[in-house]
Coordinates of all heavy atoms in Angstrom, one line a residue:
M1 N 5.6 -17.5 -14.7 CA 6.3 -18.1 -13.6 C 7.4 -17.3 -13.2 O 8.1 -16.7 -14.1 CB 6.7 -19.5 -14.0 CG 7.4 -20.3 -13.0 SD 7.3 -22.0 -13.3 CE 7.3 -22.6 -11.6
L2 N 7.7 -17.2 -11.9 CA 8.7 -16.3 -11.4 C 10.1 -17.2 -11.4 O 10.1 -18.3 -11.3 CB 8.6 -15.9 -10.0 CG 7.4 -14.9 -9.7 CD1 7.1 -14.8 -8.2 CD2 7.7 -13.6 -10.4
P3 N 11.2 -16.5 -11.7 CA 12.5 -17.1 -11.6 C 12.7 -17.8 -10.3 O 12.3 -17.3 -9.2 CB 13.5 -16.0 -11.9 CG 12.8 -14.9 -12.5 CD 11.4 -15.0 -11.9
E4 N 13.5 -19.0 -10.2 CA 13.8 -19.5 -9.0 C 14.4 -18.6 -7.9 O 15.2 -17.8 -8.2 CB 14.8 -20.7 -9.2 CG 14.8 -21.7 -8.0 CD 15.7 -22.9 -8.3 OE1 15.7 -23.3 -9.4 OE2 16.4 -23.3 -7.4
G5 N 13.8 -18.8 -6.7 CA 14.3 -17.8 -5.6 C 13.6 -16.5 -5.5 O 13.8 -15.8 -4.6
R6 N 12.7 -16.2 -6.5 CA 12.0 -14.9 -6.4 C 10.6 -15.2 -5.9 O 10.0 -16.2 -6.2 CB 11.9 -14.3 -7.9 CG 13.2 -13.9 -8.6 CD 13.9 -12.7 -7.9 NE 13.0 -11.7 -7.8 CZ 13.1 -10.6 -8.5 NH1 13.9 -10.5 -9.6 NH2 12.2 -9.6 -8.4
T7 N 10.0 -14.2 -5.2 CA 8.7 -14.3 -4.7 C 7.8 -13.2 -5.4 O 8.4 -12.2 -5.6 CB 8.7 -14.3 -3.2 OG1 9.3 -13.0 -2.8 CG2 9.4 -15.4 -2.5
M8 N 6.6 -13.4 -5.3 CA 5.6 -12.4 -5.8 C 5.6 -11.3 -4.8 O 5.4 -11.5 -3.6 CB 4.3 -13.1 -6.0 CG 3.2 -12.2 -6.4 SD 3.4 -11.8 -8.2 CE 2.7 -13.5 -8.9
P9 N 5.6 -10.0 -5.2 CA 5.5 -9.0 -4.3 C 4.1 -9.0 -3.8 O 3.2 -9.3 -4.5 CB 5.8 -7.7 -5.1 CG 5.7 -8.1 -6.5 CD 5.9 -9.6 -6.6
N10 N 3.9 -8.5 -2.5 CA 2.5 -8.4 -2.0 C 1.9 -7.2 -2.6 O 2.5 -6.4 -3.3 CB 2.6 -8.4 -0.4 CG 3.0 -7.1 0.3 OD1 3.1 -6.1 -0.4 ND2 3.2 -7.2 1.5
I11 N 0.6 -6.9 -2.2 CA -0.1 -5.9 -2.9 C 0.3 -4.6 -2.6 O 0.3 -3.7 -3.6 CB -1.7 -6.0 -2.6 CG1 -1.9 -5.9 -1.0 CG2 -2.3 -7.2 -3.1 CD1 -3.3 -5.7 -0.7
Y12 N 0.9 -4.3 -1.5 CA 1.5 -3.0 -1.1 C 2.8 -2.7 -1.9 O 3.0 -1.7 -2.5 CB 1.8 -2.8 0.4 CG 0.6 -3.3 1.2 CD1 0.7 -4.4 2.1 CD2 -0.7 -2.6 1.1 CE1 -0.4 -4.8 2.9 CE2 -1.7 -3.1 1.9 CZ -1.6 -4.1 2.8 OH -2.7 -4.5 3.4
Q13 N 3.7 -3.7 -2.0 CA 4.9 -3.5 -2.6 C 4.5 -3.3 -4.2 O 5.2 -2.5 -4.9 CB 5.8 -4.7 -2.4 CG 7.2 -4.6 -3.1 CD 8.0 -5.8 -2.8 OE1 7.5 -6.9 -2.6 NE2 9.3 -5.5 -2.7
A14 N 3.7 -4.2 -4.7 CA 3.4 -4.2 -6.1 C 2.8 -2.8 -6.6 O 3.2 -2.3 -7.6 CB 2.4 -5.3 -6.5
A15 N 1.9 -2.2 -5.7 CA 1.3 -1.0 -6.0 C 2.3 0.1 -6.0 O 2.4 1.0 -6.8 CB 0.2 -0.6 -5.0
R16 N 3.3 0.1 -5.0 CA 4.3 1.1 -4.9 C 5.3 1.0 -6.1 O 5.6 2.0 -6.7 CB 5.1 1.0 -3.6 CG 6.2 1.9 -3.4 CD 7.1 1.7 -2.1 NE 7.6 0.4 -2.1 CZ 8.8 -0.1 -2.7 NH1 9.3 0.7 -3.6 NH2 9.2 -1.3 -2.6
I17 N 5.7 -0.2 -6.4 CA 6.6 -0.3 -7.6 C 6.0 0.1 -8.8 O 6.6 0.7 -9.7 CB 7.1 -1.8 -7.6 CG1 8.0 -2.2 -6.4 CG2 7.8 -2.1 -8.9 CD1 8.4 -3.5 -6.3
A18 N 4.7 -0.3 -9.0 CA 4.0 0.2 -10.3 C 3.9 1.6 -10.4 O 4.0 2.2 -11.6 CB 2.5 -0.5 -10.3
K19 N 3.8 2.4 -9.3 CA 3.8 3.8 -9.4 C 5.2 4.4 -9.4 O 5.3 5.6 -9.7 CB 3.1 4.3 -8.1 CG 2.8 5.8 -8.1 CD 1.6 6.1 -9.1 CE 1.3 7.6 -9.1 NZ 0.6 8.1 -10.2
G20 N 6.2 3.6 -9.3 CA 7.6 4.1 -9.4 C 8.1 4.9 -8.2 O 8.9 5.8 -8.4
I21 N 7.6 4.6 -7.1 CA 8.0 5.3 -5.8 C 8.9 4.4 -5.0 O 8.7 3.3 -4.8 CB 6.7 5.7 -5.1 CG1 5.8 6.6 -5.9 CG2 7.1 6.3 -3.7 CD1 4.4 6.7 -5.2
T22 N 10.0 5.1 -4.5 CA 10.9 4.3 -3.7 C 10.3 4.1 -2.2 O 9.4 4.9 -1.8 CB 12.2 5.1 -3.4 OG1 12.0 6.4 -2.8 CG2 12.8 5.4 -4.8
Q23 N 10.8 3.2 -1.5 CA 10.3 3.0 -0.2 C 10.5 4.3 0.7 O 9.6 4.6 1.5 CB 11.0 1.8 0.6 CG 10.5 0.5 0.1 CD 11.1 -0.6 1.0 OE1 12.2 -0.5 1.4 NE2 10.3 -1.6 1.3
E24 N 11.6 4.9 0.5 CA 11.9 6.2 1.3 C 10.9 7.3 1.0 O 10.4 7.9 1.9 CB 13.3 6.7 0.9 CG 14.4 5.8 1.4 CD 14.7 4.6 0.6 OE1 14.1 4.5 -0.6 OE2 15.4 3.7 1.0
R25 N 10.5 7.4 -0.3 CA 9.5 8.5 -0.6 C 8.1 8.1 -0.2 O 7.4 9.0 0.4 CB 9.5 8.8 -2.1 CG 10.6 9.6 -2.7 CD 10.4 10.0 -4.1 NE 9.0 10.5 -4.4 CZ 8.5 10.4 -5.6 NH1 9.1 9.8 -6.5 NH2 7.3 10.8 -5.8
A26 N 7.9 6.9 -0.2 CA 6.6 6.4 0.2 C 6.4 6.6 1.7 O 5.4 6.9 2.3 CB 6.3 4.9 -0.2
A27 N 7.5 6.2 2.4 CA 7.5 6.3 3.9 C 7.3 7.7 4.4 O 6.5 8.0 5.3 CB 8.7 5.7 4.5
D28 N 7.9 8.6 3.7 CA 7.8 10.0 4.0 C 6.4 10.5 3.8 O 5.8 11.3 4.6 CB 8.8 11.0 3.2 CG 10.1 10.9 3.7 OD1 10.4 10.4 4.8 OD2 11.0 11.2 2.9
A29 N 5.7 10.1 2.7 CA 4.4 10.5 2.4 C 3.3 9.8 3.1 O 2.3 10.5 3.3 CB 4.2 10.2 0.8
I30 N 3.6 8.7 3.6 CA 2.5 8.0 4.4 C 2.0 8.6 5.7 O 0.8 8.7 5.9 CB 2.8 6.5 4.6 CG1 2.8 5.7 3.2 CG2 1.9 5.7 5.6 CD1 3.3 4.3 3.3
P31 N 2.7 9.1 6.6 CA 4.0 8.8 7.0 C 4.2 7.6 7.9 O 3.4 7.3 8.8 CB 4.4 10.1 7.9 CG 3.0 10.5 8.5 CD 2.0 10.0 7.5
C32 N 5.4 7.0 7.7 CA 5.7 5.9 8.5 C 7.3 5.7 8.4 O 7.9 6.3 7.6 CB 5.0 4.5 8.2 SG 5.4 3.8 6.8
S33 N 7.9 4.8 9.2 CA 9.3 4.6 9.0 C 9.5 3.6 7.7 O 8.6 2.9 7.4 CB 9.9 3.9 10.2 OG 9.4 2.6 10.4
V34 N 10.7 3.8 7.2 CA 11.0 2.8 6.1 C 10.9 1.5 6.6 O 10.5 0.5 5.8 CB 12.4 3.2 5.5 CG1 12.8 2.1 4.5 CG2 12.4 4.6 4.9
R35 N 11.3 1.2 7.8 CA 11.4 -0.1 8.3 C 9.9 -0.7 8.4 O 9.7 -1.9 8.1 CB 12.0 -0.1 9.7 CG 12.0 -1.5 10.5 CD 12.9 -2.5 9.7 NE 12.6 -3.8 10.1 CZ 13.1 -4.9 9.6 NH1 14.1 -4.7 8.8 NH2 12.8 -6.1 10.1
S36 N 9.0 0.1 8.9 CA 7.6 -0.3 9.0 C 7.0 -0.6 7.6 O 6.4 -1.7 7.4 CB 6.7 0.8 9.7 OG 7.0 0.9 11.1
L37 N 7.4 0.3 6.6 CA 6.8 0.0 5.3 C 7.4 -1.3 4.7 O 6.8 -2.1 4.1 CB 7.3 1.2 4.4 CG 6.8 1.0 2.9 CD1 5.3 0.9 2.8 CD2 7.2 2.2 2.1
A38 N 8.8 -1.6 5.0 CA 9.4 -2.8 4.5 C 8.7 -4.0 5.1 O 8.5 -5.1 4.5 CB 10.9 -2.8 4.8
D39 N 8.4 -3.8 6.5 CA 7.6 -5.0 7.2 C 6.2 -5.1 6.6 O 5.8 -6.3 6.4 CB 7.6 -4.6 8.6 CG 8.8 -4.8 9.4 OD1 9.8 -5.4 8.9 OD2 8.9 -4.4 10.6
Y40 N 5.5 -4.2 6.2 CA 4.2 -4.3 5.6 C 4.4 -5.0 4.3 O 3.5 -5.8 3.9 CB 3.5 -2.9 5.4 CG 3.3 -2.1 6.6 CD1 3.3 -0.7 6.5 CD2 3.1 -2.7 7.8 CE1 3.2 0.2 7.6 CE2 2.9 -1.8 9.0 CZ 3.0 -0.4 8.8 OH 2.8 0.3 10.0
E41 N 5.4 -4.7 3.5 CA 5.6 -5.2 2.1 C 6.1 -6.6 2.2 O 5.9 -7.4 1.3 CB 6.6 -4.3 1.4 CG 6.0 -3.0 1.0 CD 6.8 -2.2 0.1 OE1 8.1 -2.5 -0.2 OE2 6.4 -1.1 -0.4
S42 N 6.7 -7.0 3.3 CA 7.3 -8.5 3.3 C 6.2 -9.3 4.0 O 6.3 -10.6 4.0 CB 8.5 -8.4 4.3 OG 8.2 -8.2 5.6
G43 N 5.2 -8.6 4.6 CA 4.2 -9.4 5.2 C 4.5 -9.8 6.7 O 3.7 -10.5 7.5
A44 N 5.5 -9.1 7.2 CA 5.9 -9.3 8.6 C 5.0 -8.7 9.6 O 4.9 -9.1 10.7 CB 7.3 -8.8 8.8
R45 N 4.4 -7.6 9.1 CA 3.4 -6.9 9.9 C 2.3 -6.5 9.1 O 2.4 -6.3 7.9 CB 4.0 -5.5 10.5 CG 5.1 -5.7 11.5 CD 5.8 -4.5 12.0 NE 4.7 -3.4 12.4 CZ 5.2 -2.2 12.5 NH1 6.5 -1.7 12.3 NH2 4.3 -1.2 12.8
V46 N 1.1 -6.3 9.6 CA -0.2 -5.9 8.9 C -0.3 -4.4 9.2 O -0.3 -3.9 10.3 CB -1.4 -6.6 9.5 CG1 -2.7 -6.0 8.9 CG2 -1.3 -8.1 9.2
P47 N -0.4 -3.6 8.1 CA -0.5 -2.1 8.3 C -1.9 -1.7 8.9 O -2.9 -2.4 8.6 CB -0.3 -1.5 6.9 CG -0.7 -2.6 6.0 CD -0.4 -3.9 6.7
P48 N -2.0 -0.7 9.7 CA -3.3 -0.2 10.2 C -4.1 0.3 9.0 O -3.6 0.7 7.9 CB -2.9 1.0 11.0 CG -1.5 1.0 11.2 CD -0.8 0.1 10.1
A49 N -5.5 0.4 9.2 CA -6.4 0.8 8.1 C -6.0 2.0 7.6 O -6.0 2.2 6.3 CB -7.8 0.8 8.7
E50 N -5.7 3.1 8.4 CA -5.3 4.4 7.9 C -4.1 4.4 7.0 O -4.1 5.2 6.1 CB -5.1 5.3 9.1 CG -6.3 5.6 10.0 CD -6.6 4.4 11.0 OE1 -5.7 3.7 11.2 OE2 -7.7 4.3 11.5
T51 N -3.1 3.6 7.4 CA -2.0 3.4 6.5 C -2.3 2.8 5.2 O -1.8 3.3 4.1 CB -0.9 2.6 7.2 OG1 -0.6 3.2 8.4 CG2 0.4 2.5 6.4
V52 N -3.1 1.9 5.1 CA -3.6 1.3 3.9 C -4.3 2.3 3.0 O -4.0 2.4 1.8 CB -4.5 0.0 4.1 CG1 -5.0 -0.5 2.8 CG2 -3.8 -1.1 4.8
V53 N -5.1 3.1 3.6 CA -5.8 4.2 2.8 C -4.9 5.1 2.3 O -4.8 5.5 1.1 CB -6.9 4.8 3.7 CG1 -7.4 6.0 2.9 CG2 -8.1 3.8 3.9
R54 N -3.8 5.5 3.1 CA -2.9 6.4 2.6 C -2.0 5.9 1.5 O -1.7 6.6 0.6 CB -2.0 6.9 3.9 CG -1.1 8.0 3.6 CD -1.8 9.3 3.4 NE -0.9 10.4 3.1 CZ -0.9 11.1 2.0 NH1 -2.0 11.1 1.2 NH2 0.0 11.9 1.7
M55 N -1.6 4.6 1.6 CA -0.8 3.9 0.5 C -1.6 4.0 -0.7 O -1.1 4.3 -1.8 CB -0.5 2.5 0.9 CG 0.7 2.3 1.8 SD 1.1 0.6 1.9 CE 0.6 0.2 3.7
A56 N -2.9 3.6 -0.7 CA -3.8 3.6 -1.8 C -3.8 5.0 -2.5 O -3.8 5.1 -3.8 CB -5.2 3.1 -1.5
E57 N -4.0 6.0 -1.6 CA -4.0 7.4 -2.2 C -2.7 7.8 -2.8 O -2.8 8.2 -4.0 CB -4.3 8.3 -1.0 CG -5.8 8.3 -0.5 CD -5.9 9.2 0.7 OE1 -5.0 9.5 1.4 OE2 -7.1 9.4 1.0
I58 N -1.7 7.5 -2.2 CA -0.3 7.8 -2.7 C 0.1 7.0 -4.1 O 0.5 7.6 -5.0 CB 0.8 7.6 -1.7 CG1 0.6 8.6 -0.5 CG2 2.2 7.7 -2.3 CD1 1.3 8.1 0.7
Y59 N -0.3 5.8 -4.0 CA 0.0 4.9 -5.2 C -1.1 5.0 -6.2 O -0.9 4.4 -7.2 CB 0.2 3.5 -4.8 CG 1.1 3.2 -3.6 CD1 1.0 2.1 -2.8 CD2 2.3 4.2 -3.3 CE1 1.9 1.8 -1.8 CE2 3.1 3.8 -2.3 CZ 3.0 2.7 -1.5 OH 3.8 2.5 -0.5
C60 N -2.1 5.7 -6.0 CA -3.3 5.8 -6.9 C -3.8 4.4 -7.2 O -4.0 4.0 -8.4 CB -3.0 6.5 -8.1 SG -2.7 8.2 -7.9
A61 N -4.0 3.6 -6.2 CA -4.2 2.2 -6.2 C -5.5 1.9 -5.5 O -5.4 1.3 -4.3 CB -3.0 1.3 -5.9
T62 N -6.6 2.2 -6.0 CA -7.9 1.9 -5.3 C -8.0 0.4 -5.0 O -8.6 -0.1 -4.0 CB -9.1 2.3 -6.0 OG1 -9.1 1.8 -7.4 CG2 -9.1 3.9 -6.1
S63 N -7.4 -0.4 -5.9 CA -7.6 -1.9 -5.7 C -6.7 -2.4 -4.4 O -7.2 -3.4 -3.7 CB -7.0 -2.7 -6.9 OG -5.6 -2.5 -7.1
T64 N -5.7 -1.7 -4.0 CA -5.0 -2.0 -2.8 C -6.0 -1.9 -1.6 O -6.0 -2.7 -0.8 CB -3.8 -1.0 -2.7 OG1 -2.9 -1.3 -3.7 CG2 -3.1 -1.3 -1.3
C65 N -6.7 -0.8 -1.7 CA -7.7 -0.6 -0.6 C -8.8 -1.6 -0.6 O -9.2 -2.2 0.4 CB -8.3 0.8 -0.6 SG -8.8 1.5 0.9
A66 N -9.3 -1.9 -1.8 CA -10.4 -2.8 -2.0 C -10.0 -4.2 -1.5 O -10.7 -4.9 -0.8 CB -10.9 -2.8 -3.4
R67 N -8.8 -4.6 -1.9 CA -8.4 -5.9 -1.5 C -8.2 -6.0 0.0 O -8.6 -7.1 0.6 CB -7.0 -6.3 -2.2 CG -7.2 -6.6 -3.6 CD -5.8 -7.0 -4.1 NE -5.7 -6.8 -5.6 CZ -4.6 -6.8 -6.3 NH1 -3.5 -7.1 -5.8 NH2 -4.8 -6.7 -7.6
R68 N -7.7 -5.1 0.6 CA -7.4 -5.2 2.0 C -8.7 -5.0 2.8 O -8.9 -5.4 4.0 CB -6.5 -4.0 2.3 CG -6.1 -3.9 3.8 CD -5.3 -5.1 4.3 NE -4.5 -4.7 5.5 CZ -5.1 -4.7 6.7 NH1 -6.4 -5.0 6.8 NH2 -4.5 -4.4 7.8
A69 N -9.8 -4.4 2.2 CA -11.0 -4.2 2.8 C -11.8 -5.4 3.1 O -12.7 -5.4 4.0 CB -11.9 -3.2 2.0
R70 N -11.4 -6.5 2.5 CA -12.1 -7.7 2.7 C -11.8 -8.3 4.1 O -12.5 -9.2 4.5 CB -11.7 -8.7 1.6 CG -12.2 -8.3 0.3 CD -11.9 -9.4 -0.7 NE -12.1 -8.9 -2.1 CZ -11.3 -8.9 -3.0 NH1 -10.1 -9.3 -2.8 NH2 -11.6 -8.3 -4.2
S71 N -10.7 -7.8 4.6 CA -10.3 -8.4 6.0 C -10.9 -7.8 7.1 O -11.9 -8.3 7.7 CB -8.7 -8.5 6.1 OG -8.1 -8.8 4.9
P72 N -10.3 -6.7 7.6 CA -10.7 -6.2 9.0 C -12.0 -5.4 8.8 O -12.2 -4.6 7.9 CB -9.6 -5.3 9.5 CG -8.7 -5.1 8.3 CD -9.1 -6.1 7.3
A73 N -12.9 -5.5 9.8 CA -14.1 -4.7 9.9 C -13.6 -3.2 10.1 O -12.7 -2.9 10.7 CB -14.9 -5.2 11.1
G74 N -14.4 -2.4 9.5 CA -14.2 -1.0 9.5 C -13.3 -0.4 8.5 O -13.4 0.8 8.2
L75 N -12.5 -1.2 7.9 CA -11.6 -0.7 6.8 C -12.3 -0.3 5.6 O -12.0 0.7 5.0 CB -10.6 -1.7 6.5 CG -9.5 -1.3 5.4 CD1 -8.9 0.0 5.9 CD2 -8.5 -2.3 5.1
S76 N -13.4 -1.0 5.3 CA -14.2 -0.6 4.1 C -14.8 0.8 4.3 O -14.8 1.6 3.4 CB -15.3 -1.6 3.7 OG -16.2 -1.8 4.9
R77 N -15.2 1.1 5.5 CA -15.8 2.4 5.8 C -14.6 3.6 5.6 O -14.8 4.5 5.0 CB -16.2 2.5 7.3 CG -17.1 3.7 7.6 CD -17.8 3.5 8.9 NE -17.0 3.0 10.0 CZ -17.1 1.8 10.5 NH1 -18.1 1.0 10.0 NH2 -16.3 1.3 11.5
T78 N -13.4 3.2 6.1 CA -12.2 4.1 6.0 C -11.9 4.3 4.5 O -11.6 5.3 4.0 CB -11.0 3.5 6.7 OG1 -11.4 3.3 8.0 CG2 -9.9 4.5 6.7
C79 N -11.9 3.2 3.7 CA -11.6 3.3 2.3 C -12.7 4.1 1.5 O -12.4 4.8 0.6 CB -11.5 1.8 1.7 SG -10.1 0.9 2.2
A80 N -13.9 3.9 1.9 CA -15.0 4.7 1.2 C -14.8 6.1 1.5 O -15.2 6.9 0.6 CB -16.3 4.1 1.8
S81 N -14.2 6.5 2.5 CA -14.1 8.0 2.8 C -12.8 8.5 2.2 O -12.5 9.8 2.2 CB -14.2 8.3 4.2 OG -13.0 7.8 5.0
A82 N -12.0 7.7 1.7 CA -10.7 8.2 1.1 C -10.9 9.0 -0.1 O -11.9 8.9 -0.9 CB -9.8 7.0 0.7
R83 N -10.1 10.0 -0.2 CA -10.2 10.9 -1.4 C -9.1 10.6 -2.4 O -7.9 10.9 -2.4 CB -10.0 12.4 -0.9 CG -11.2 12.9 -0.3 CD -11.1 14.2 0.3 NE -10.5 14.1 1.6 CZ -9.7 14.8 2.3 NH1 -9.3 15.9 1.8 NH2 -9.2 14.6 3.5
F84 N -9.5 9.8 -3.4 CA -8.6 9.4 -4.5 C -8.6 10.4 -5.6 O -9.7 10.9 -6.0 CB -9.0 8.1 -5.1 CG -8.9 6.9 -4.1 CD1 -10.1 6.4 -3.5 CD2 -7.8 6.5 -3.7 CE1 -10.1 5.4 -2.7 CE2 -7.6 5.4 -2.8 CZ -8.9 4.9 -2.2
P85 N -7.4 10.9 -6.0 CA -7.3 11.9 -7.0 C -8.0 11.4 -8.3 O -7.8 10.3 -8.8 CB -5.7 12.0 -7.3 CG -5.1 11.5 -6.1 CD -6.1 10.4 -5.5
K86 N -8.7 12.4 -9.0 CA -9.4 12.0 -10.2 C -8.5 11.5 -11.3 O -8.7 10.7 -12.1 CB -10.3 13.1 -10.7 CG -11.4 13.4 -9.9 CD -12.4 14.4 -10.4 CE -13.6 14.5 -9.5 NZ -14.6 15.4 -10.0
R87 N -7.2 12.1 -11.3 CA -6.3 11.7 -12.3 C -5.8 10.2 -12.2 O -5.4 9.7 -13.1 CB -5.0 12.6 -12.3 CG -4.2 12.4 -11.0 CD -3.0 13.4 -11.0 NE -2.1 13.1 -9.9 CZ -2.3 13.4 -8.6 NH1 -3.4 14.2 -8.3 NH2 -1.5 13.1 -7.6
C88 N -6.0 9.6 -11.0 CA -5.6 8.3 -10.8 C -6.8 7.3 -11.0 O -6.6 6.2 -11.5 CB -5.2 8.2 -9.4 SG -3.7 9.0 -9.0
C89 N -8.0 7.7 -10.7 CA -9.1 6.8 -10.4 C -10.3 7.1 -11.3 O -11.3 6.5 -11.1 CB -9.5 6.7 -9.0 SG -8.1 6.4 -7.9
G90 N -10.2 7.9 -12.3 CA -11.4 8.0 -13.2 C -11.7 9.5 -13.4 O -11.2 10.4 -13.5

């Protein structure tokens, strides 16, 4: 259970934090603005498919891509073509 007033991070934020990457570094690598990344992580905006794939590659989080692939059509195709580093995924 989370302490009072705390919320569960969404999948994008959780993956970034697990990898130990700051929002600034992640935004530079994606590339997107820090504001856009913050909006994706807060749920205020839905990231485009290409951004989700890039996040999954940067964070070495194939599950991020897989979870998001259940929603929009075509994302699963984008995820399938992503190149995940072997050191991250197997």
Side-chain angles (χ1 to χ4, degrees):
M1 179 154 212
L2 294 170
E4 190 173 327
R6 298 290 308 257
T7 59
M8 180 76 75
N10 76 8
I11 60 173
Y12 310 119
Q13 183 180 33
R16 179 183 56 76
I17 290 170
K19 191 65 180 172
I21 300 173
T22 65
Q23 279 188 328
E24 292 77 12
R25 278 188 52 210
D28 283 343
I30 288 172
C32 70
S33 69
V34 174
R35 179 64 196 182
S36 289
L37 183 59
D39 286 348
Y40 303 148
E41 291 184 356
S42 72
R45 291 176 50 197
V46 176
E50 297 79 17
T51 300
V52 173
V53 170
R54 190 69 185 125
M55 282 191 247
E57 290 172 340
I58 293 163
Y59 308 156
C60 295
T62 56
S63 63
T64 298
C65 206
R67 286 183 199 168
R68 179 71 163 74
R70 294 186 191 121
S71 315
L75 181 59
S76 56
R77 192 171 43 253
T78 307
C79 289
S81 67
R83 285 175 270 150
F84 297 106
K86 288 187 179 184
R87 70 182 183 282
C88 298
C89 307

